[in-house]
Amino acid sequence: PHAGPVESKNEAAMSELVPEPRQKPVVPMKPVGINANLLGYIGIDTIIEQMRKKTMKTGFDFNIMVVGQSGLGKSTLVNTLFKSQVSRKSSGWNREEKIPKTVEIKAIGHVIEEGGVKMKLTVIDTPGFGDQINNENCWEPIEKYINEQYEKFLKEEVNIARKKRIPDTRVHCCLYFISPTGHSLRPLDLEFMKHLSKVVNIIPVIAKADTMTLEEKTEFKQRVRKELEVNGIEFYPQKEFDEDLEDKTENDKIRQESMPFAVVGSDKEYQVNGKRVLGRKTPWGIIEVENLTHCEFALLRDFVIRTHLQDLKEVTHNIHYETYRAKRLNDNGGLPPMTVETEENHESNL
Amino acid sequence: QNDGYRTLSLSGNVGFGSLPDQLVKKSIKQGFCFNILCIGETGSGKSTLINSLFNTDFDDPVSTHFLPSVRLRAQTYELQESNVLLKLTIVNTVGFGDQLNKEDSYQPIVDYIDAQFEAYLQEELKIKRSLFSYHDTRIHVCLYFISPTGHSLKTLDLLTMKSLDSKVNIIPIIGKADSISKTELQKFKNKIMSELVSNGVQIYQFPTDDETVSNSNTIMNGHLPFAVVGSTEEVKIGNKMVRARQYPWGIVQVENENHCDFVKLREMLICTNMEDLREQTHARHYELYRRCRLEEMGFRDIGPENKPVSLQEAYEAKRHEFYLELQRKEEEMRQQFVQRVKEKEAILKEAEQQMQTKFEHRMLMHQEVKLKLEKKKKVLEDEIAMFIEKKANAELVQSQASVSTPVVSLKRDKDRK
């Protein structure tokens, strides 16, 4: 730590000495210079604190989409994930209401706060997916919606007078709900994931997993993983975006063992062993949602929210969005060149 | 701030409170960039101050006073402290204020700053771009060294700062402040600040919107410009070695806040506001540059009827314009080509003409010479004929004279034959 000179503290004139805005490290780290030899502490590592403070002030956006046939527990799961009524459960279609002809896209946003961190969470529901008699191309409205958000962002980004913070409505994560048949993936599942895994981060989850025993669960998961691999479907976390060895080992374990997460959702609490837990009450017992021996909800929650939330956003921004942008600009003849006079080929600008 | 979104309360722990940590973890992996530009006359203490700030010797060679123009010298270093990796680039002005005519002194600096913005803009406009791995060379802060004259700012200072204040965060510094006494210093500072205000120079203000730092930042804003002393030498004070400058009349300690504002500068620059400096550079100065540049190129957000121009239309229009321009150029080039061919043809024709005349002339000459020669030949032939005649006559006379002595003449005939 830098030596505050002993004399200064004794002098009354130094009463204007500013209070230290940062915490000095308890044990001064011996800095290792790469090019330059550092003697003593400078304070470069305080930039972490500065950055943290700034991001907490601006807050975060997160947009999560849920896709799956009705009745698979999508809304319940999202509400369980975010411990609040972020998604309104649909009561199903009664005879008077007409089943919508196509997939609807419903985006509802809320602001939630935890630990001083403000998050604007938008849940995008897709009622009607897979519910019609003829479900061919039912992913198209979804793909259209996702691309529309990229388009919105792109339009803002190319403005001359840009907003300080471009509102981010892009879908960061798409939870795809697989029906717990216990057999294999349906053609609809494969078609959807094949098309959409190229434009958005897809996290497949096995819904209503309390209908399967442990052995059935393990076998089903293995079969699903195999089928996804055979069909060339890259779900999140995608292998090609592992940044370093640390990421790779961590993500490999998730990809090859944990995913797809077999989950159960609930917004009701019950008393178990003296504690109040979220669960589902059945005649044969209470299924505890956050109990890892009962289902993998906690794994999904930790994965999506506690460890990979920022990464989901970054992959969306740095890869999916960039892919969309590049394709869009290419199709459109590219951006006009920076200088009209020189015809040297900036391959980028033409 | 919530844009009409309902706020929900959570019924339990969700876990996104770790989001800033996730973000920070990623940033640490990527590393940080920080670029400092030092402007000041040769010998104003720039290199020493930087060495003192970062507690290291950056090995910057001393420059002479006799450089013909202002140049900029940039060097990048990698510094690591705990798990933070910083790519620090220090750009120094070399030869600033040394020339007799300083009219162009600040232009190379402005050009350099613009060039870094331009490079970033180019990357941003690429179709296939990689902004997240781009090495950001934009200048985040400009330390402007004011000479410790004790009087006021020089004209060069005002001119330079005025030309830079909308492009970079300026922190004015009084270098080598140990040559000013405390009372003179306060007067000097006040004079400088009032001159800056009256000339409309916008220097960097430490941000006061965050409660945790607004207090200290406000106080610091009042201490500008920082009067600093740098030193690469250490002197023993008590039982510690501190950075100091030793004079016969005392020791100036760099890190003593009574002696100079070095600690304040370091605190403000690195420990409190480094991130804000970076953000201001990106969100304010760069955006301004980008806006001006795009407008320069003819882009508009609003079309002629005040309706927003869609992306598609803008690109189509630009592309069409560019295409027309290309066609025009092509036509121009074609015209030029045709013109040149004509000219060349004319030249060649003329040359041909010349050749032809020369040829005819030569032919004429040839004829003349030929005639002359033939005349000469005739003359010579006549002479030969005459000579032969004379010879024949002479022989006849000879043979008539030699009839009386036949034996001898026969022999002579034989010899002659």
Side-chain angles (χ1 to χ4, degrees), chain A residues 2-3 5 7 11 14 16-18 20-22 29 31-32 34-48 50-57 60 81-86 109-114 117 119-120 151 154-155 157-162 164 243-244 247 301 305-311 314 318 321-322 325-326 328-330 332-338 340-341 343 348-350, chain B residues 2-3 5-24 26-29 32 53-56 76 78-86 118 121-122 124-127 129 132 209-210 212-213 216 219-220 223 240 253 255-258 263 266-267 270-276 278-279 283 286-287 290-291 293-295 297 299-301 311-312 315-316 318-319 322 325-326 329:
Chain A
H2 81 263
E7 306 96 68
E11 304 202 23
M14 289 322 288
E16 65 181 3
L17 191 62
V18 295
E20 214 71 53
R22 58 179 169 83
M29 307 283 280
V32 176
I34 296 179
N35 272 1
N37 292 318
L38 292 190
L39 323 145
Y41 179 72
I42 301 171
I44 299 175
D45 56 359
T46 57
I47 194 171
I48 296 181
Q50 298 174 34
M51 186 177 262
R52 192 196 300 262
K53 263 197 263 179
K54 263 203 192 286
T55 48
M56 289 203 25
K57 219 173 66 146
F60 299 87
L81 263 178
F82 292 101
K83 293 272 167 49
S84 56
Q85 290 281 327
V86 285
H110 292 99
V111 172
I112 47 181
E113 189 178 328
E114 188 177 75
V117 177
M119 179 150 89
K120 197 165 89 181
E151 182 68 25
L154 180 63
K155 273 213 168 81
E157 200 189 16
V158 297
N159 262 342
I160 295 182
R162 295 200 282 212
K164 189 153 188 195
E243 282 172 17
D244 51 30
D247 278 351
R301 179 204 50 212
I305 300 179
R306 291 185 189 170
T307 53
H308 285 70
L309 193 70
Q310 183 60 27
D311 189 58
E314 288 199 4
N318 292 331
Y321 170 69
E322 287 294 319
R325 178 182 171 276
R328 181 85 167 75
L329 295 180
N330 254 330
N332 215 19
L335 275 168
M338 291 293 291
V340 187
E341 300 83 57
E343 269 141 46
S348 54
N349 286 325
L350 270 176
Chain B
N2 291 355
D3 316 313
Y5 282 81
R6 259 176 55 217
T7 310
L8 285 181
S9 51
L10 305 174
S11 61
N13 181 258
V14 176
F16 61 86
S18 67
L19 200 45
D21 289 317
Q22 294 180 35
L23 186 75
V24 157
K26 279 213 177 271
S27 299
I28 292 179
K29 255 198 205 167
F32 300 89
L53 264 178
F54 292 99
N55 253 335
T56 180
T76 310
E78 280 188 359
L79 305 175
Q80 183 160 9
E81 197 165 75
S82 43
N83 55 352
V84 174
L85 184 65
L86 180 72
E118 185 68 25
L121 182 62
Q122 289 276 11
E124 198 188 15
L125 288 177
K126 276 201 188 137
I127 292 184
R129 60 189 188 180
F132 52 87
D209 43 2
D210 179 355
T212 48
V213 291
S216 53
I219 296 174
M220 289 302 179
H223 278 290
K240 277 192 300 178
Q253 294 156 40
E255 289 181 1
N256 185 336
E257 295 206 48
N258 247 351
V263 170
R266 184 170 62 190
E267 193 70 30
I270 300 174
C271 305
T272 315
N273 299 304
M274 184 151 65
E275 184 58 25
D276 186 68
R278 280 155 38 108
E279 193 185 302
Y286 169 70
E287 285 296 313
R290 176 180 173 275
R291 190 160 59 226
R293 191 78 176 85
L294 291 180
E295 279 174 2
M297 295 195 312
F299 281 93
R300 293 279 179 274
D301 277 337
L311 196 71
Q312 180 106 3
Y315 289 159
E316 296 280 271
K318 265 277 149 181
R319 190 147 162 264
F322 178 63
E325 180 72 22
L326 262 180
K329 278 243 164 99

Side-chain angles (χ1 to χ4, degrees), chain A residues 225-254:
Chain A
R225 275 198 294 268
K226 194 77 201 285
E227 275 186 66
L228 290 174
E229 192 184 327
V230 161
N231 281 276
I233 295 171
E234 279 256 30
F235 53 85
Y236 178 86
Q238 298 93 335
K239 264 188 243 154
E240 47 179 335
F241 305 142
D242 286 337
E243 282 172 17
D244 51 30
L245 194 61
E246 190 191 328
D247 278 351
K248 191 170 176 323
T249 30
E250 188 190 336
N251 289 343
D252 269 344
K253 190 161 179 295
I254 297 174

Side-chain angles (χ1 to χ4, degrees), chain A residues 201-204 234-238 259 303 308 311-312 315:
Chain A
N201 296 323
I202 295 191
I203 297 181
E234 279 256 30
F235 53 85
Y236 178 86
Q238 298 93 335
M259 286 181 84
F303 178 64
H308 285 70
D311 189 58
L312 280 162
V315 172

Side-chain angles (χ1 to χ4, degrees), chain A residues 136-162:
Chain A
E136 273 178 6
N137 301 331
C138 66
W139 58 83
E140 278 178 1
I142 298 175
E143 194 174 350
K144 183 158 162 279
Y145 176 83
I146 292 174
N147 285 334
E148 273 170 9
Q149 309 317 305
Y150 290 146
E151 182 68 25
K152 244 195 242 175
F153 195 87
L154 180 63
K155 273 213 168 81
E156 284 290 340
E157 200 189 16
V158 297
N159 262 342
I160 295 182
R162 295 200 282 212

Side-chain angles (χ1 to χ4, degrees), chain B residues 338-392:
Chain B
V338 168
Q339 181 75 1
R340 283 224 191 100
V341 166
K342 271 205 189 123
E343 283 174 17
K344 198 74 181 192
E345 252 182 24
I347 289 174
L348 285 172
K349 249 213 174 103
E350 203 185 306
E352 201 182 337
Q353 287 278 51
Q354 281 188 354
M355 288 257 135
Q356 187 75 2
T357 0
K358 255 195 193 156
F359 180 67
E360 285 173 6
H361 183 71
R362 286 268 163 84
M363 285 294 284
L364 260 153
M365 298 241 315
H366 180 253
Q367 291 286 68
E368 278 177 26
V369 171
K370 196 169 170 191
L371 263 150
K372 265 196 198 149
L373 281 171
E374 291 203 346
K375 270 197 190 147
K376 252 197 179 160
K377 192 173 169 191
K378 187 97 196 316
V379 165
L380 282 169
E381 278 177 3
D382 287 344
E383 277 181 20
I384 290 175
M386 272 201 342
F387 178 72
I388 290 177
E389 226 187 289
K390 267 194 184 156
K391 183 167 152 204

